[in-house]
């Protein structure tokens, strides 16, 4: 098995655990971020041209270095680093350990004892460096926060049907970012202000959602469903409630990264770099988006449409439990697409099978940016975002992705 294949399997195993543990999209991005950075910082030593990434990010410090003149298997070290972090940021540890035992056994059968032990120890050291930063990024410090229920005033967010859940991760905009300067660096202006004037931008935006969703084409419905990626969806059948297991928005783009790496036959260091860069883009763009979401605490279309037009209307997609402006999936998809475009090229055509296992759908795209553009429109077709919010989020995400790529020197 190649080094890249091992890294792909590690990521896939992590995605399965994230789905099973039902992490929120921002938290899932954090998990992908720290684990991918740990993996990269070990794997990069297989090729001396690759630079450390964490030394160029905020608050990580200097990673350990391998002993000169000693033998290492850096894919094994990357695996150990990856799961050293994963154990501390997920719940289903037993599932991870069962998988790890199989991987470690493979290496143990093919390496001498000293190389095996040295590689595992090196990976664990790197994992501990990553975890030290994770302990002070504001995530552990906000776990006991009170619920966010919004406010009952015009244009302001409040819990939405069918389950009226409290707002998810309302402190996420305060998280310590990886590469950008701050969560406010690319903040867009405010959304349209509340108005009862039928000609106002405020009324037009929710009227537009209502009219569009009443006349969706088959293709538009398929696009909305394809990019749903909502781990919160709860199905109701009488008194029975059950959840659909799906990948998060970030998980979808990690899957696309896997496809790009395999399609180009990327080696271990290149694969580790691609995962790390996508994960950085995901994490920082989620923080930026959530800063905007809770700054304005803007009402979802379902709230305005139910109150002003049709109290029985529901969107095609189930509304996620957090404020509307801007669109999170639009933001993180654009950021990821920009980074992947820099990694693999502008006209990188691919068959997206990331969600095939979960929803039985796949789609072809001529480029990463075209996939991201479709994502932005999917939120509008799905009735959970205004068009302005989708497009504004996409614009913000592209700026974040470009900034991250231009800031980091990946090779020497």
């Amino acid at each position: 098995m190649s080094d890249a294949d091992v890294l792909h399997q590690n990521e896939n195993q992590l995605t399965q655990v994230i789905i099973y543990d039902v992490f929120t999209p921002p938290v899932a991005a954090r998990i992908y971020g720290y684990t991918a950075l740990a993996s990269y910082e070990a794997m990069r030593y297989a090729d001396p041209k690759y630079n450390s990434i964490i030394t160029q990010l905020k608050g990580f410090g200097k990673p350990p270095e391998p002993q000169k003149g000693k033998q290492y298997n850096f894919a094994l070290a990357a695996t150990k680093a990856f799961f050293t972090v994963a154990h501390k940021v997920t719940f289903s540890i037993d599932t991870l350990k069962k998988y790890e035992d199989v991987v470690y056994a493979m290496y143990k059968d093919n390496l001498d004892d000293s190389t095996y032990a040295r590689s595992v120890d090196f990976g664990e050291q790197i994992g501990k460096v990553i975890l030290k930063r994770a302990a002070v990024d504001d995530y552990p410090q906000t776990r006991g926060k009170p619920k966010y229920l919004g406010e009952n005033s015009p244009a302001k967010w409040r819990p939405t049907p069918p389950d009226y859940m409290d707002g998810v991760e309302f402190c996420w905009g305060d998280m310590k970012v990886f590469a950008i300067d701050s969560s406010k660096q690319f903040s867009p202006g405010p959304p349209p202000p509340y108005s009862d004037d039928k000609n106002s931008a405020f009324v037009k935006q929710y009227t537009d959602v209502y009219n569009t969703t009443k006349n969706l084409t088959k293709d538009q419905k398929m696009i909305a469903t394809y990019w749903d990626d909502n781990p919160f969806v709860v199905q109701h059948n009488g008194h029975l409630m059950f959840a659909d297991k799906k990948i998060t928005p970030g998980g979808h783009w990690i899957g696309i990264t896997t496809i790009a790496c395999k399609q180009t036959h990327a080696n271990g260091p290149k694969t580790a770099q691609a995962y790390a860069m996508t994960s950085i883009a995901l994490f920082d763009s989620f923080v930026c988006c959530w800063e905007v979401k809770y700054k304005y605490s803007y009402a979802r279309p379902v709230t305005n449409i139910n109150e002003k037009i049709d109290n029985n209307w529901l969107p095609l997609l189930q509304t996620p439990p957090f404020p509307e402006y801007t669109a999170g999936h639009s933001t993180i998809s654009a950021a990821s697409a920009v980074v992947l475009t820099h990694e693999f090229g502008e006209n990188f055509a691919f068959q997206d099978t990331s969600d095939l296992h979960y929803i039985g759908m796949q789609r072809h795209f001529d480029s990463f940016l075209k996939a991201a553009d479709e994502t932005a429109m999917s939120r509008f077709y799905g009735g959970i975002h205004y068009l302005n919010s989708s497009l504004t989020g996409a614009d913000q995400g592209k700026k974040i992705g470009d900034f991250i790529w231009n800031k980091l020197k990946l090779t020497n």
Side-chain angles (χ1 to χ4, degrees):
M1 186 184 299
S2 72
D3 292 348
D5 286 337
V6 173
L7 301 186
H8 293 319
Q9 287 192 10
N10 294 347
E11 287 287 348
N12 181 62
Q13 185 67 28
L14 181 65
T15 292
Q16 303 312 310
V17 168
I18 288 173
I19 293 169
Y20 183 82
D21 288 345
V22 198
F23 286 105
T24 66
V27 176
R30 177 179 183 264
I31 295 169
Y32 284 122
Y34 285 119
T35 52
L37 287 170
S39 180
Y40 172 80
E41 290 297 328
M43 192 70 246
R44 71 183 178 91
Y45 284 104
D47 186 336
K49 77 178 181 183
Y50 285 87
N51 295 326
S52 170
I53 289 178
I54 65 171
T55 56
Q56 303 176 68
L57 303 181
K58 298 179 183 298
F60 281 88
K62 189 176 180 181
E65 297 182 2
Q67 300 175 50
K68 292 182 178 179
K70 298 289 186 179
Q71 289 292 316
Y72 289 84
N73 185 293
F74 292 113
L76 170 58
T79 299
K80 183 62 178 180
F82 185 90
F83 286 107
T84 296
V85 175
H87 286 177
K88 299 296 184 182
V89 294
T90 60
F91 300 141
S92 298
I93 308 303
D94 289 344
T95 301
L96 295 179
K97 287 182 176 178
K98 288 178 182 177
Y99 164 79
E100 287 175 82
D101 287 344
V102 174
V103 178
Y104 296 148
M106 176 189 73
Y107 283 109
K108 203 158 193 176
D109 289 342
N110 292 281
L111 296 172
D112 62 82
D113 290 346
S114 60
T115 300
Y116 177 86
R118 191 181 303 117
S119 302
V120 168
D121 180 65
F122 182 57
E124 187 172 4
Q125 289 180 48
I126 289 176
K128 287 179 178 178
V129 170
I130 300 296
L131 286 171
K132 189 174 180 181
R133 202 279 193 178
V136 294
D137 68 355
D138 209 42
Y139 179 78
Q141 293 77 11
T142 57
R143 292 307 88 192
K145 64 184 182 298
K147 291 184 177 182
Y148 184 86
L149 298 174
E151 54 185 280
N152 191 24
S153 59
K156 293 297 184 180
W157 182 84
R158 69 210 71 156
T160 52
D163 297 303
Y164 298 93
M165 297 170 64
D166 54 289
V168 165
E169 297 296 344
F170 74 89
C171 296
W172 206 258
D174 296 328
M175 290 284 289
K176 290 181 173 62
V177 290
F178 285 162
I180 61 174
D181 295 339
S182 78
S183 63
K184 300 177 177 63
Q185 184 178 359
F186 299 100
S187 186
Y194 177 79
S195 175
D196 284 324
D197 184 345
K198 66 180 181 179
N199 294 315
S200 67
F202 183 83
V203 172
K204 283 183 177 180
Q205 68 181 359
Y206 67 73
T207 303
D208 194 18
V209 170
Y210 181 73
N211 291 334
T212 299
T213 56
K214 286 286 189 179
N215 298 283
L216 290 173
T217 65
K218 182 179 179 181
D219 191 49
Q220 288 171 334
K221 289 179 180 178
M222 180 173 63
I223 289 170
T225 302
Y226 185 75
W227 290 104
D228 186 17
D229 298 335
N230 182 359
F232 295 102
V233 173
V234 177
Q235 302 292 345
H236 297 257
N237 186 353
H239 295 293
L240 179 66
M241 295 172 59
F242 58 95
D244 283 342
K245 296 284 188 180
K246 282 189 281 189
I247 54 176
T248 62
H252 199 143
W253 283 95
I254 291 294
I256 291 173
T257 304
T258 301
I259 292 166
C261 288
K262 289 182 176 180
Q263 193 168 311
T264 57
H265 307 289
N267 63 12
K270 175 67 173 181
T271 294
Q273 177 189 289
Y275 281 130
M277 291 300 292
T278 300
S279 298
I280 291 168
L282 287 171
F283 181 83
D284 278 4
S285 56
F286 261 116
V287 175
C288 288
C289 180
W290 252 244
E291 193 278 330
V292 177
K293 280 184 178 293
Y294 285 98
K295 176 181 179 179
Y296 296 109
S297 194
Y298 210 52
R300 289 277 182 172
V302 67
T303 300
N304 290 310
I305 292 171
N306 285 170
E307 292 180 356
K308 304 292 185 178
I309 302 178
D310 180 353
N311 60 12
N312 293 315
W313 179 87
L314 287 174
L316 175 65
L317 302 182
Q318 196 170 109
T319 302
F322 36 81
E324 191 274 340
Y325 182 82
T326 56
H329 209 334
S330 299
T331 308
I332 66 99
S333 294
S336 300
V338 165
V339 166
L340 287 169
T341 299
H342 285 297
E343 285 273 10
F344 297 103
E346 289 188 4
N347 298 304
F348 190 95
F350 64 98
Q351 187 74 13
D352 182 16
T353 56
S354 304
D355 226 359
L356 183 60
H357 177 71
Y358 309 104
I359 63 173
M361 297 174 68
Q362 57 182 304
R363 285 179 70 75
H364 179 85
F365 297 101
D366 293 329
S367 72
F368 301 113
L369 287 170
K370 286 184 178 178
D373 289 344
E374 184 176 280
T375 309
M377 292 307 299
S378 76
R379 315 318 267 172
F380 175 61
Y381 298 151
I384 60 175
H385 278 292
Y386 308 116
L387 183 59
N388 174 64
S389 300
S390 292
L391 299 180
T392 301
D395 181 63
Q396 183 187 30
K398 288 173 184 176
K399 292 175 181 176
I400 294 167
D402 272 327
F403 181 89
I404 291 169
W405 184 266
N406 291 326
K407 176 177 179 175
L408 301 180
K409 184 182 178 184
L410 300 177
T411 56
N412 54 40

